[in-house]
Amino acid sequence: NGQYVGERGGEEATWHSGGWLGTQTFYARFPQRRTSLVMMCNDASLDMEPLIDGAIAIILGETGASD
């Protein structure tokens, strides 16, 4: 189903991403923090990865999180 289970920053994480007809989506859940992240974009040409990585870094309190 495209859902992944792994870890980020030493914490369990579940995530899924996809897109259709010019859109992109991303969902991540961090059960230990009882926190989820949902990002949706209606521009398939935008590189969402830096935005996703930055948001996750903020959630996890990782040092060096960009603005």
Side-chain angles (χ1 to χ4, degrees):
N1 69 8
Q3 183 169 314
Y4 300 94
V5 176
E7 66 176 50
R8 167 88 185 246
E11 295 188 31
E12 180 184 348
T14 304
W15 65 94
H16 177 74
S17 63
W20 189 59
L21 295 177
T23 64
Q24 300 178 68
T25 60
F26 177 82
Y27 167 80
R29 183 167 187 276
F30 301 92
Q32 293 168 317
R33 292 181 180 262
R34 298 177 54 104
T35 302
S36 295
L37 170 67
V38 176
M39 299 185 84
M40 296 177 274
C41 180
N42 63 355
D43 183 352
S45 67
L46 177 70
D47 181 8
M48 283 183 44
E49 192 153 339
L51 299 172
I52 292 166
D53 288 343
I56 291 173
I58 290 168
I59 290 169
L60 297 180
E62 294 175 351
T63 59
S66 61
D67 299 339

